[in-house]
Every structure is written in C-alpha cells, then in structure tokens.
Amino acid sequence: MKLIRSKAMAVSMSLAALSLLAAACGSSSTSSSSTSSAPKDITIGTAYAGTGTYATSSLPELDGLKLWIQLENKKGGAYVGAYHKRIPLKLVAYNDQSSASTASVLYNQLITQNKVNILVADFGSVLTAPAVAIAQAHKQLLFDQSGTGIPFFTPNNPYIVLCDLPESSIWPSPLAQYLGVKKIKNVAIVYDSNDFDQSQAETLKSKLTAEGVKVGYYQAVPTSTSSYGTLIKTIQATHPGAVLELGYQPNDTAFLEQLQSSGVKFPMTFTVFPGQLLSLFQNQVGKKGLEYTYTYGTNYFNNYTSVSEGLTTKGLLADIKTYYPSANNTLGLLGYNTGLVVQAALKNATSLSQLALRNALTKVSGSLNTVNGNFKINSEGAQVGELLPLAQLFPTSSSVKLKVVYPTASASASAVYPAP
C-alpha cells in the first residue's frame, strides 16, 4: 500500500507539475502572441506600365509611391494603429507593359500568391479596370490611384477607394461653365472610347446642351488613335468656337503636333494631359504647339504650406528632385499621395482586415488634407473632394507657363480668347 501511495503521489505531483508548466507556457504564449501577432512587414502590391502606351504616366506615379515608402521606412516603417507601432513597408511591383490583360493576371497574382496587405492599382482607367472586379471577388480593398471611370464605383462594392483624383465625370464641370460664360455657341468634341474620356465627353455634352451651347461635332475614336489629320480637317469644316480633344497623353501629343503641322488654328483648343505632364509636352510638342491652349489645372501647381499628413509642397518637391526626378510632375504627386491615403488607413484601422482599412478611410474622409488637397470620398469610395480648375498655357521667353483662368475665384490670370 505504501508503494502504491508513493506512486500515486508521484503521478499526482507529475501531473501538477505538467499543469503548472502548461499554464506557464500558455501564459507565455498569450503574452507573446499580443506582440508577435504584428506582421514583420506591410506588403504593398501594385502593377505598373514599364513600357508601352501608358509608361510615361505610370512610371512617375510608381516613383511617387516609392518615395512615400522610402520616407516612411526611414522612420522604421508606417505607423499601424492596430499594433501601436511602426512596421516596415515592402513593395511588390510587376510590369504589366501597358496591357490590361497582363495587368489582370498580375493583380490576381498579387492577391492569391503574394498575399499583399495593400493592393494599389496601376495608372488610369484602362489599367485599373481589371483590378476592380478581381479585388471585389477576393474581398481585397483596391487603392485606386487615378482610375476615375464612373463604372468602377457602385453601391454594392466596398472594396475600392479612389485616392488622388475626382471621378472623371465631374472633371469637366469648370470647363463647361467657362464655355457658357464665354458664350461659345459651337463646340467640337473628339474623345477616346474608354471609361475615362467617355465619361468626360458625356458630362460636357449634357452640360453644354443644357446651357444652350451647340455641340456641332461629337465623335469617339479608339484609344489607340495616333492619326488626327483627317479629323482636324473635318472639325475645321464645322467652324467651332472651341475644340476639346479628350485622350491620354499619347493621344493629346499626337493631336497637338498634327494640329500645329496642319496650319489650322481654332479659337480655343483643350487637351487633358499637358497639365499632368507639362515638361514632357514641352519637349514633345514645343512652345508653339502649346501656347494659349487649355488643360486641367492640378494640385501640383498649388503651393500647400499646411497639411495634416505628409509633406508640404516645398518639402515634396525637394525630396522628389533628390530621390526621384522623373516623378517631378502631377503623376509623381499622385503616387506619393496614394501612399498618404494608405498611411491614413493603416494609422486609423482597428485591424489589417480589408474592410477595417476601408472603414478607416471613411472615418478620415473630409478631414485628411495633403499636398494633393482635401481627401473626401462618397459612400461608393469615389473621390469628391476636388474639382480641377481650367488652366491655360501662356508663352514665356523660352517655353510656356500654366496659369489657372477659371473659376475666377481661384484664377491666377485672365484667359486669352480667342487664341492669337
């Protein structure tokens, strides 16, 4: 009996010891999980156009995003509110070569294979379009940089937020108002048949018609269009008081070059991209082809001395020139601003879940002020915090300078109409 009791006591003591050990291990595990549950890095995935039609816009936008990542990693990473600490940022970027079908494959790879925390779309509506459906299907929040097409934003899709530009349907509102104020009675519109340009064209036609302005020429062309000679002659025959060509950078360049070489002059010529890539247009089109033409003004040409997140205009331009000179334009600003929107989401989200990130951006909407202006989104995730003013390119001794001409309250110069 004594032997049995001794064995029983030994077993009891062993069980107690194991129980204490298990409790200790459990306590240690619980304690460590609260600190080790934070990821070692925050992975940001994006596609970019390293070659092809959209490279001139995509590459500076990517470099702007890289600048934000570089500056945050110098501080130890982005501050993640859910873990009360800074976590290093890691970028995974794949070249889609300006192909929407290639971009589709790469977006899917970033989500399913790379399992990125943050998904950022490539430049523009054409290359963003495939990401919208893929992100929604995988319940991954899409940080849409500059894909402003109306169809992207719907009541049943919480997995998208437009970071840097307003929805393209509202871009031309100041332009339409200006044409009405100038009492220009006959307008010609030629536009690319994609979401970005078509939505602008439809807005213009609707607003101008309502104001009694005749749209005497209204024509869609493929986004791949590079020859405008015949179109220019056809437009000339309608005797327009203003010609609005709505395209991407290669379209605008080709149109302005061929307009100049044709010898045809219109009282007013408007194109979309010179305000975004002014240095490029100065090199490609030259002073004579740009002077007195109109374009959208952007926040790159504003001087923000006070912001609630990120760098001021002076600080941003200094860092861009130091680290990424190719991003010294509107597209570089947009890429950097995308980073600031990501930063706001990470800082204010209660977790790294995709809907928590989206809810965090709803929380800061209207109060986030950056070098790109006021970040404000509607219930569908579309940016509504900015209107792009109308600008005109005035000749200088050697080149041209962009100045806002409408609305009058924000104008820095009086418009010259008709063009000399």
Side-chain angles (χ1 to χ4, degrees), residues 158-212:
Y159 295 101
I160 185 171
V161 61
L162 181 55
C163 300
D164 310 316
L165 287 168
E167 207 176 34
S168 54
S169 62
I170 65 176
W171 282 36
S173 294
L175 170 59
Q177 292 168 7
Y178 173 80
L179 293 168
V181 167
K182 284 293 182 182
K183 302 188 184 304
I184 298 172
K185 294 301 181 184
N186 184 22
V187 174
I189 300 174
V190 56
Y191 65 95
D192 287 4
S193 52
N194 58 59
D195 290 334
F196 171 62
D197 294 306
Q198 183 174 335
S199 60
Q200 294 177 69
E202 290 172 351
T203 294
L204 281 165
K205 187 176 184 182
S206 173
K207 287 184 176 292
L208 292 176
T209 300
E211 292 185 22

Side-chain angles (χ1 to χ4, degrees), residues 53-100:
T53 302
Y54 304 107
T56 53
S57 299
S58 179
L59 287 172
E61 196 170 71
L62 175 65
D63 283 347
L65 180 63
K66 285 180 177 178
L67 175 64
W68 171 74
I69 292 172
Q70 179 175 321
L71 294 177
E72 288 305 295
N73 279 341
K74 279 187 175 182
K75 304 173 190 174
Y79 185 80
V80 182
Y83 300 107
H84 309 290
K85 61 184 288 189
R86 288 190 175 274
I87 300 178
L89 300 168
K90 177 184 175 184
L91 178 66
V92 180
Y94 294 125
N95 183 4
D96 58 36
Q97 303 172 61
S98 295
S99 165

Side-chain angles (χ1 to χ4, degrees), residues 161-403:
V161 61
L162 181 55
C163 300
D164 310 316
L165 287 168
E167 207 176 34
S168 54
S169 62
I170 65 176
W171 282 36
S173 294
L175 170 59
Q177 292 168 7
Y178 173 80
L179 293 168
V181 167
K182 284 293 182 182
K183 302 188 184 304
I184 298 172
K185 294 301 181 184
N186 184 22
V187 174
I189 300 174
V190 56
Y191 65 95
D192 287 4
S193 52
N194 58 59
D195 290 334
F196 171 62
D197 294 306
Q198 183 174 335
S199 60
Q200 294 177 69
E202 290 172 351
T203 294
L204 281 165
K205 187 176 184 182
S206 173
K207 287 184 176 292
L208 292 176
T209 300
E211 292 185 22
V213 178
K214 176 186 175 184
V215 180
Y217 183 89
Y218 188 76
Q219 182 64 50
V221 299
T223 305
S224 58
T225 299
S226 59
S227 177
Y228 288 89
T230 301
L231 284 168
I232 289 169
K233 292 294 185 183
T234 303
I235 292 170
Q236 184 185 26
T238 69
H239 305 290
V243 176
L244 317 178
E245 185 275 322
L246 309 173
Y248 281 107
Q249 175 270 312
N251 309 103
D252 293 0
T253 297
F255 180 82
L256 290 170
E257 285 179 334
Q258 291 163 42
L259 179 61
Q260 184 181 12
S261 63
S262 72
V264 175
K265 293 203 98 175
F266 297 117
M268 174 180 176
T269 299
F270 173 93
T271 54
V272 175
F273 269 82
Q276 298 188 41
L277 294 165
L278 185 54
S279 294
L280 179 67
F281 276 84
Q282 288 171 335
N283 291 333
Q284 292 182 337
V285 179
K287 175 183 174 181
K288 284 296 180 183
L290 290 173
E291 60 185 17
Y292 297 110
T293 65
Y294 293 73
T295 189
Y296 291 122
T298 69
N299 281 311
Y300 176 77
F301 298 96
N302 287 331
N303 181 26
Y304 288 96
T305 58
S306 178
V307 295
S308 63
E309 195 74 73
L311 299 169
T312 61
T313 299
K314 182 179 179 181
L316 175 62
L317 295 182
D319 280 346
I320 281 178
K321 290 172 183 175
T322 299
Y323 300 111
Y324 294 99
S326 66
N328 191 18
N329 50 47
T330 296
L331 278 307
L333 165 65
L334 300 188
Y336 171 75
N337 192 70
T338 297
L340 298 183
V341 175
V342 172
Q343 184 171 314
L346 292 172
K347 181 188 293 186
N348 292 282
T350 55
S351 75
L352 286 181
S353 79
Q354 299 300 302
L355 286 182
L357 294 170
R358 176 67 175 79
N359 291 337
L361 292 176
T362 299
K363 177 182 175 183
V364 302
S365 174
S367 63
L368 177 62
N369 294 295
T370 74
V371 71
N372 194 42
N374 180 244
F375 173 83
K376 186 177 181 181
I377 54 175
N378 62 19
S379 60
E380 297 174 356
Q383 174 67 240
V384 295
E386 302 166 1
L387 274 179
L388 296 173
L390 181 64
Q392 192 171 19
L393 299 173
F394 292 87
T396 65
S397 58
S398 59
S399 188
V400 292
K401 185 173 184 179
L402 183 148
K403 296 182 180 181

